[in-house]
Amino acid sequence: MDPDDSDYFVQREILDAERLDEVAQKGTRSSKPTAAERLKDSFRCSASRLGLAVLARVPVLGWLPRYAVRENLLGDVISGCSVAVMHLPQGLAYASLAGLRPVFGLYTSFYPVLVYFLFGTSRHISIGTFAVTSIMVGSVVQRLAPDAGPAANGTNQTAGDADALDADRVRVAASFAVLTGLVQILLGAVRFGFMVTYLSGPMIRAYTTGSAVLVCVSQLKDIFGVRPSRFTGPLSAVYTLIDICRLLPETNLAQLLVSAVALVALVVIKEINACYRTKLPLPVPVELLLIIAATLAAHFGSLNVNYGVSVVGEIPSGLRAPLAPDATLFTQMMGDALAVAVVSYTITISLAKTFALKHSYKVDSNQELVALGLSNAVGGCFLCYPVTASMSRTLVQETTGARTQVAGIFSSVILLVAILELGPLFENLPKAILAAIVIVNLKGMFMQAVDVRMLWRTNKADLLVWLVTFTSTVLLNLDLGLAVSVGFAMFTLILRMQRPQYSILGHVSGTDLYLDTDTYKEAKEITGIKIFRSSTTINYTNAEMFVDALQDKSGIDFGKLLLAKRKQEAALKSEQEKEKKTQKTGVELLSSGTFTFKEFNREELSERPRSQSKSHVSDRSLAESSGFTSATLFNADADTGRHGDYTINQTSSHCDEEAVRSDTHSIVLDLSATSFVDTVSVNTLKNIFSNLGQIQLNVYLAGCQACVVEQLEAAGFFSESITKSRLFVSLHDAVLSILKKRGQTRLILDGSTSTKM
């Protein structure tokens, strides 16, 4: 490579903060409106502002009039039909997770999709039922409308009791959906969409994997055909699993056979779909085909009557009238509603952003939160339970050619036909088929367990978050598990912020680079200058650690030297007071005539002060040359009251403690990683400047961002003793300025600020 292509030269003056303001012509940001002006502007109204506000809140008005029929319609129709084929079996299956009859899963796959079509900003996600939210709803339904069947008290339920229980559960689930929607709308209105950033990727994946375990455990009863007792609260999954194992001798073999055949068929055909997805125009609708085949087999084989295989039962046709939510239940659901609101939004926005990035368009995080909230709130009034985006359906919707949410309209039309006309046809569908569909669809979430091996190699802290989240979700259930997971993730974040990496930087010869001396062999410390860097922002949580690390890395015990300096000053002051007192006493005795030349002759008066003065001057010159002395320098005389009997051994000890300071004269603090300063960090920096200044160590700052400089100014950091001349644009500027003041620029350059790199 030609040297001219890899080298460059920079020649400019050394810039501190004061000079930078002049050269770069720093402004005052007067163009930025004040808070009062922004508030006043928000209440102004005009036709254009109203139109923009409506388009922002109802995005369909912006893109539907410009819908390109020729380019988009065919892909949306094919995609809508494909997703509807998945909606039908998943709606029937996931409703059982929520503790509801299958028809309510179909309602949940129909109404919210229409609402999201109007208010959503993603073109590809498929809103509807999902395993994780379904089981979260089921835990609330079971708590507020507990099962009173034979599994609970050993008595048989009448048809009236079953209908009453179903109606009660529908009321609970629908009210829960409305409350969840209202929470999401409120969060979206206050622009709280950023909350998803506090849920890390490993935590979300571990939470969904733990949820998959709970879903799988809940379906085992239909796989084996047993009726375990109902358990709620922490460790309920463990108790349920133990009870199922206890009931294994009572397994319905016919139902187990149906489950095994369904599981094998689903796994094999789904693997074929995955292997030949590039060659198949559409994935084989194995779930729908399996439901049709199983329903026909159960009907003509009378599996329920002859072999005791559990079936879905009555599925009413038609739509039901809207139902007002039961507001009296809201106080008992608030915590669960907040958890479902956060989890469902997190899943939805993650999928939305993934496909938006793939297809080069943007989604509005806050509008997505509002759209999801409206889908839940409106859907709850029509007997739906909370929804979110489904990973499997979204993938199908995108891969089959969907261009817009018009695909959702076509899927809803097909579902409407199924609700109105086809519902009764699936009354003989075995529950084992639905359980098999649920379990096989959990494969993607179970595959997330491979994260453990990857995180073990890459990031142990994230691995710990993953394991704690997974364990707490499985053992403590979804609500407490989410709280523990978020709390632990925040704890690890705070812990990492409190344990940053600190380093001493050295100069790489021939460049303006300053690198960690422990990592780079060519990074050499500059004689007399310590350059200290923290890898994170200095704040009240780590300010004390910052000071400790500065002392440890620089090898200078600032506290010890400062104490020695103060003791020296105190000892000097004490000595001066004793000298004055002695002289005053002598004068008073002479003036009173009580002294005779025999008691206190002229020779003694002339010799004694001379020795004291000589010793005092010698010690003071030593202190001034080094900036401070050790804490033991005046201890003997301060205790005994003697003035000047300093021995060679004491001076030697004093010099040994001086060695701890070495030849360091300047300390440069690299604040390039600092994004803000608080009151504690400002006071910490002030104390560093003040205390080190007392022991003749000069302190400089380098690399501060403009916002940090403004915050320092607002906090009154700069003063006559700490001027902006102590703040430099870069580490190189700071080092060159220090060396120039001391006439040592040749250590880096030959008297020039031109650097070759």
Side-chain angles (χ1 to χ4, degrees):
M1 183 182 289
D2 187 353
D4 293 337
D5 295 334
S6 60
D7 297 352
Y8 71 88
F9 298 86
V10 176
Q11 185 168 355
R12 61 170 174 81
E13 63 177 301
I14 299 172
L15 295 176
D16 57 24
E18 293 177 341
R19 182 59 182 152
L20 176 66
D21 293 347
E22 298 176 5
V23 172
Q25 298 182 358
K26 181 181 178 181
T28 59
R29 295 191 181 183
S30 57
S31 59
K32 185 177 180 179
T34 63
E37 291 173 340
R38 291 196 302 269
L39 181 63
K40 182 179 179 180
D41 185 64
S42 64
F43 286 100
R44 290 176 180 169
C45 186
S46 64
S48 60
R49 287 176 63 90
L50 180 61
L52 292 174
V54 171
L55 289 177
R57 292 304 180 188
V58 190
V60 68
L61 299 178
W63 62 265
L64 189 59
R66 296 182 283 105
Y67 182 78
V69 177
R70 289 187 177 182
E71 290 82 0
N72 299 335
L73 184 61
L74 180 60
D76 286 339
V77 171
I78 295 174
S79 177
C81 295
S82 302
V83 172
V85 170
M86 296 184 68
H87 263 305
L88 184 60
Q90 289 184 5
L92 295 172
Y94 290 154
S96 63
L97 294 178
L100 305 174
R101 289 188 177 183
V103 69
F104 295 101
L106 297 181
Y107 295 158
T108 305
S109 301
F110 173 65
Y111 288 108
V113 175
L114 299 177
V115 178
Y116 186 83
F117 167 80
L118 299 174
F119 299 99
T121 60
S122 174
R123 304 173 189 173
H124 295 95
I125 63 172
S126 174
I127 293 293
T129 57
F130 188 58
V132 174
T133 52
S134 297
I135 196 171
M136 294 179 78
V137 173
S139 65
V140 178
V141 169
Q142 180 61 32
R143 188 180 79 245
L144 298 180
D147 192 356
N153 54 22
T155 60
N156 292 323
Q157 270 186 319
T158 65
D161 292 338
D163 291 340
L165 178 62
D166 288 338
D168 197 26
R169 289 185 168 182
V170 170
R171 178 175 59 86
V172 171
S175 301
F176 185 64
V178 172
L179 179 59
T180 301
L182 293 177
V183 170
Q184 290 173 326
I185 293 171
L186 179 61
L187 294 176
V190 297
R191 310 192 66 81
F192 207 65
F194 70 89
M195 69 179 178
V196 72
T197 59
Y198 291 96
L199 304 178
S200 65
M203 195 201 81
I204 295 172
R205 293 172 67 84
Y207 185 78
T208 53
T209 305
S211 303
V213 172
L214 297 181
V215 171
C216 186
V217 170
S218 71
Q219 296 303 296
L220 292 179
K221 66 181 187 299
D222 291 326
I223 294 292
F224 292 98
V226 295
R227 298 294 301 274
S229 301
R230 289 275 188 173
F231 299 97
T232 58
L235 299 178
S236 60
V238 177
Y239 296 143
T240 301
L241 191 59
I242 293 174
D243 203 31
I244 289 174
C245 292
R246 181 181 60 83
L247 295 172
L248 283 181
E250 304 175 12
T251 299
N252 186 321
L253 295 180
Q255 189 157 334
L256 180 61
L257 180 61
V258 171
S259 303
V261 172
L263 287 170
V264 171
L266 287 168
V267 170
V268 171
I269 299 180
K270 280 181 175 289
E271 287 299 319
I272 293 174
N273 283 339
C275 292
Y276 297 97
R277 62 180 178 274
T278 57
K279 298 181 180 179
L280 294 173
L282 292 173
V284 177
V286 58
E287 295 168 336
L288 183 61
L289 295 177
L290 183 63
I291 284 177
I292 294 173
T295 302
L296 293 175
H299 175 70
F300 292 105
S302 299
L303 298 183
N304 183 28
V305 176
N306 296 332
Y307 302 100
V309 175
S310 299
V311 296
V312 169
E314 181 185 1
I315 300 179
S317 59
L319 299 174
R320 295 195 180 187
L323 178 69
D326 187 352
T328 60
L329 297 173
F330 284 178
T331 55
Q332 304 175 60
M333 301 174 173
M334 183 56 70
D336 300 282
L338 182 60
V340 173
V342 172
V343 171
S344 62
Y345 171 67
T346 300
I347 295 171
T348 300
I349 196 62
S350 299
L351 289 171
K353 287 188 174 181
T354 298
F355 288 99
L357 181 63
K358 181 178 179 180
H359 293 276
S360 303
Y361 66 91
K362 292 184 178 181
V363 293
D364 186 335
S365 298
N366 290 296
Q367 181 59 27
E368 284 296 299
L369 189 52
V370 172
L372 191 61
L374 288 170
S375 299
N376 283 322
V378 175
C381 295
F382 289 90
L383 311 183
C384 301
Y385 62 86
V387 298
T388 187
S390 165
M391 287 184 274
S392 58
R393 292 196 307 271
T394 299
L395 282 171
V396 170
Q397 183 161 319
E398 188 263 344
T399 54
T400 52
R403 299 293 184 88
T404 66
Q405 279 297 331
V406 170
I409 296 297
F410 288 106
S411 70
S412 296
V413 170
I414 296 175
L415 282 172
L416 180 60
V417 174
I419 292 171
L420 294 177
E421 302 294 339
L422 303 181
L425 298 179
F426 297 104
E427 291 180 355
N428 289 318
L429 174 65
K431 290 183 178 180
I433 300 297
L434 298 179
I437 291 173
V438 170
I439 291 174
V440 172
N441 281 328
L442 296 174
K443 175 190 172 184
M445 285 185 275
F446 281 125
M447 291 298 293
Q448 294 175 151
V450 300
D451 291 353
V452 173
R453 184 171 58 181
M454 182 269 294
L455 293 173
W456 173 261
R457 296 194 305 265
T458 58
N459 194 309
K460 299 295 193 299
D462 284 342
L463 172 62
L464 191 59
V465 170
W466 200 101
L467 294 175
V468 170
T469 300
F470 176 80
T471 305
S472 61
T473 302
V474 173
L475 298 182
L476 302 178
N477 280 351
L478 296 170
D479 47 0
L480 289 177
L482 179 63
V484 171
S485 304
V486 173
F488 185 79
M490 296 300 294
F491 172 74
T492 58
L493 176 63
I494 294 172
L495 195 63
R496 284 192 240 185
M497 290 179 62
Q498 285 187 306
R499 299 180 64 85
Q501 295 293 321
Y502 298 106
S503 54
I504 291 292
L505 307 184
H507 178 246
V508 179
S509 179
T511 72
D512 64 348
L513 301 178
Y514 294 83
L515 306 176
D516 186 357
T517 55
D518 293 334
T519 305
Y520 298 92
K521 294 181 180 179
E522 291 301 316
K524 307 295 183 183
E525 286 191 52
I526 302 169
T527 303
I529 302 177
K530 295 288 185 181
I531 305 174
F532 180 73
R533 171 182 290 170
S534 170
S535 63
T536 190
T537 293
I538 310 169
N539 54 61
Y540 71 94
T541 64
N542 58 22
E544 184 176 351
M545 188 178 298
F546 178 85
V547 176
D548 293 340
L550 176 59
Q551 294 185 87
D552 180 60
K553 289 291 185 179
S554 65
I556 303 174
D557 191 339
F558 305 131
K560 185 176 181 180
L561 298 179
L562 185 60
L563 181 61
K565 175 68 175 178
R566 290 173 178 170
K567 285 187 176 181
Q568 173 194 353
E569 292 174 348
L572 287 173
K573 184 177 180 181
S574 176
E575 182 183 355
Q576 291 171 357
E577 290 177 352
K578 289 178 180 179
E579 288 179 355
K580 291 180 180 179
K581 184 177 180 180
T582 301
Q583 294 173 1
K584 181 178 180 181
T585 303
V587 172
E588 289 177 350
L589 292 173
L590 287 171
S591 62
S592 64
T594 57
F595 260 152
T596 64
F597 284 103
K598 185 175 182 180
E599 294 172 326
F600 198 74
N601 58 44
R602 184 183 299 274
E603 184 177 355
E604 288 175 327
L605 282 173
S606 61
E607 287 295 331
R608 189 175 179 89
R610 187 181 296 121
S611 64
Q612 292 174 352
S613 177
K614 181 178 179 180
S615 176
H616 178 62
V617 170
S618 174
D619 290 318
R620 290 200 63 178
S621 63
L622 179 62
E624 291 173 355
S625 65
S626 61
F628 55 88
T629 59
S630 69
T632 61
L633 182 58
F634 295 104
N635 281 354
D637 294 292
D639 294 337
T640 62
R642 298 173 61 191
H643 308 285
D645 192 11
Y646 298 106
T647 65
I648 294 177
N649 291 335
Q650 288 172 318
T651 305
S652 175
S653 175
H654 153 72
C655 293
D656 289 341
E657 290 198 20
E658 277 272 323
V660 72
R661 185 179 149 177
S662 174
D663 55 354
T664 302
H665 53 74
S666 300
I667 292 179
V668 181
L669 304 180
D670 181 3
L671 300 186
S672 56
T674 298
S675 58
F676 70 92
V677 289
D678 56 21
T679 304
V680 175
S681 56
V682 170
N683 290 334
T684 299
L685 292 174
K686 282 184 177 180
N687 290 336
I688 290 174
F689 272 84
S690 173
N691 294 337
L692 299 191
Q694 294 182 45
I695 55 176
Q696 283 70 52
L697 281 176
N698 296 316
V699 184
Y700 302 91
L701 305 180
C704 290
Q705 302 178 44
C707 60
V708 175
V709 177
E710 292 179 358
Q711 292 168 13
L712 290 173
E713 291 175 336
F717 175 76
F718 298 106
S719 61
E720 293 183 0
S721 58
I722 308 176
T723 63
K724 279 194 172 183
S725 61
R726 298 287 191 96
L727 175 59
F728 289 89
V729 175
S730 67
L731 289 173
H732 203 50
D733 287 275
V735 170
L736 290 175
S737 177
I738 294 169
L739 295 178
K740 186 176 180 181
K741 290 177 181 177
R742 302 180 68 86
Q744 298 174 343
T745 317
R746 64 183 181 279
L747 292 179
I748 295 183
L749 307 165
D750 289 330
S752 171
T753 59
S754 174
T755 303
K756 177 181 178 181
M757 292 169 279

